Amino acid sequence: MPNFNDTATTPTEEMREAMRRAEVGDDVFHTDPTVNELEAAGAAILGHEDALWVASGTMSNLCAVLAATRRGDEVLAEAEAHIVYYEAGGMATVAGVMPRTIPTPEGILDAEAVRPHLRPPDHHFPPASMLCVENTHNRAGGTVTDATTMQGLRALCDERGLHLHVDGARLFNAAVHLGVAPAALAGPADSVSVCLSKGLGAPVGGLLAGSADFVERARCARKMLGGAMRQAGVAAAAGLVALRTGVDRLADDHERARRLAARLGDADLPIGVADPVTNFVIVDLAPSGRSAPEVLEGLAAHGIVAAARPPGGLRFVTHHQIGDGDVDRLVEAMTELLG
């Protein structure tokens, strides 16, 4: 059954074998050798001093907020960023910080978009201490923040004393799209979270990278959230394989997304199809008069799984378990349902 959600990937045989053979210890005491190897490898790739293995991107972002802010602070983010839209209000309910959102047309924050939202010190306002950037941007359809924009944000954060955090759940997709090293996008930030699941295909987990002092504070936050594990090397072993084998092949996913968008466009269906930037194909159902749940139910009857993109669209995400035949099958099903 083709599943056009990159959160649904299952581990490769190489990952399963690595998990079976993983050398493990107690990661609560930072003595699991496989987790330690993964953290060191991730930090080097992302251009940071240290990294922390985490169970999920949501936990990673919350650990970053807890490590970099104080209760009552203000955290700036794009209006539809994942950390605001999909993370259960964790920054407010757990970290006790106030989100200040900045709307943009394509989910991309640059220094000029952020600057007008930075208020002068005043006891009426919560003090701003953190700026969060999502790269790639989920709800904007996988849009990318480039290295030049990151450098501009770095300069602004230095000027205003802000911690710059990148929610890089799909940062490797951004790097592959731009043809740059991941460190070019992650290095200018004070911290960066990346997922090893999703496009890279590991079954679980991600990394939060930054300075050694920051990572130590984040380690304490992870413990508080219940995210410190014992023999976590079993899962971390798959993450090492994901880093080694998953990044270079992301270009195939991007090409397949472009092919899917082109095929849907050529089918002359009553829908809008956005041009993919990375591995997302966003479909607007408004011209068809059909609802997302209705179309998703129809796709399920054809053995295809996808997701809604509220308020009125669908989201198809390509990944290493989606092939050309799956793209053809999806186009045929959409044609039957909407043609």
Side-chain angles (χ1 to χ4, degrees), residues 218-237:
R219 193 176 296 277
C220 293
R222 186 188 69 170
K223 177 64 176 176
M224 179 181 69
L225 296 173
M229 301 185 196
R230 299 299 178 179
Q231 288 72 42
V234 172

Side-chain angles (χ1 to χ4, degrees), residues 12 38 60 78 106 136 170 197 204 248 254 274 296 313 319 321:
T12 64
L38 173 61
S60 186
E78 202 278 330
E106 295 185 331
T136 66
R170 297 176 176 88
S197 55
V204 65
D248 290 343
H254 299 176
L296 289 175
H319 51 79
Q321 289 176 321

Side-chain angles (χ1 to χ4, degrees), residues 195-221:
C195 284
L196 302 175
S197 55
K198 300 187 173 70
L200 299 192
V204 65
L207 292 165
L208 175 60
S211 69
D213 287 344
F214 168 82
V215 169
E216 185 56 33
R217 295 195 301 274
R219 193 176 296 277
C220 293

Side-chain angles (χ1 to χ4, degrees), residues 211-282:
S211 69
D213 287 344
F214 168 82
V215 169
E216 185 56 33
R217 295 195 301 274
R219 193 176 296 277
C220 293
R222 186 188 69 170
K223 177 64 176 176
M224 179 181 69
L225 296 173
M229 301 185 196
R230 299 299 178 179
Q231 288 72 42
V234 172
L240 279 166
V241 176
L243 280 180
R244 187 172 65 247
T245 66
V247 177
D248 290 343
R249 52 147 306 280
L250 292 176
D252 297 337
D253 298 341
H254 299 176
E255 177 56 35
R256 201 158 277 124
R258 289 190 290 271
R259 180 171 179 268
L260 171 59
R263 289 286 311 281
L264 288 172
D266 291 344
D268 198 28
L269 299 175
I271 56 176
V273 183
D275 290 332
V277 180
T278 50
N279 63 327
F280 281 57
V281 178
I282 304 297

